[in-house]
Amino acid sequence: MQTATAPIEILLVEDNPADVRLTVEALRQSSVQSRLRVARDGQEAMRVLRAVDNPDPMPDLILLDLNLPKMDGREVLEAIKTDDMLRHIPVVVLTTSRAEADIFRSYRVGANAVITKPVDLDQFFASVHAIEQFWLSNARLLRPYS
């Protein structure tokens, strides 16, 4: 759960600058203290997650787009969920894909939730707020590195 001294660490893996801005703004309105880091492609996300000398804390939650450059989000998800040091981190897939195959594969590999990104601004904010409400306010997050 959220503590006064330790903000919830979120890694957003998203290549679309507009979606990054919207997510930042939606989280800024949150009553839960969080710190957002952004990786713009799958390779960058894996570098952040596997960096041995990274002074930043490991993320408590990962928001992952599926359609990414350099390393596809599907590959990132699989790499996270097959890595003993990372698999405990909840991954919420945020995607424009409505393909049943993407949804099925995401859950089969270990996604904790799959959310189709709404096109409507208000619905996008509502989706991010729903993620925030559940994952940052209600769920108990494992923090093995604290």
Side-chain angles (χ1 to χ4, degrees):
M1 275 295 224
Q2 160 77 16
T3 67
T5 58
I8 301 295
E9 299 288 334
I10 302 170
L11 176 62
L12 174 61
V13 187
E14 174 62 67
D15 64 318
N16 183 322
D19 287 347
V20 170
R21 279 192 308 276
L22 290 174
T23 304
V24 166
E25 184 57 35
L27 288 171
R28 187 175 288 140
Q29 296 175 6
S30 172
S31 61
V32 177
Q33 185 183 6
S34 64
R35 190 173 88 132
L36 182 70
R37 286 180 287 163
V38 178
R40 306 266 179 199
D41 62 62
Q43 287 180 352
E44 181 182 355
M46 294 313 300
R47 278 194 305 275
V48 166
L49 291 168
R50 290 188 171 145
V52 176
D53 58 351
N54 187 353
D56 293 324
M58 290 294 286
D60 299 305
L61 177 67
I62 299 170
L63 305 178
L64 176 67
D65 185 23
L66 288 183
N67 300 313
L68 296 167
K70 298 185 182 177
M71 183 180 187
D72 187 79
R74 295 157 192 84
E75 296 171 293
V76 172
L77 177 61
E78 193 162 348
I80 291 168
K81 293 303 180 179
T82 57
D83 185 313
D84 288 338
M85 297 301 292
L86 303 174
R87 76 175 70 208
H88 71 278
I89 304 170
V91 178
V92 175
V93 172
L94 288 170
T95 181
T96 56
S97 174
R98 295 187 182 279
E100 290 293 321
D102 283 336
I103 296 168
F104 177 79
R105 180 178 177 194
S106 294
Y107 280 123
R108 185 178 54 77
V109 172
N112 297 87
V114 178
I115 298 174
T116 301
K117 291 180 196 174
V119 177
D120 177 78
L121 180 64
D122 290 333
Q123 289 178 349
F124 186 92
F125 271 67
S127 291
V128 173
H129 287 244
I131 293 167
E132 177 264 327
Q133 180 63 36
F134 180 78
W135 287 104
L136 307 186
S137 297
N138 296 332
R140 299 264 333 238
L141 298 173
L142 179 63
R143 299 182 110 175
Y145 306 105
S146 299

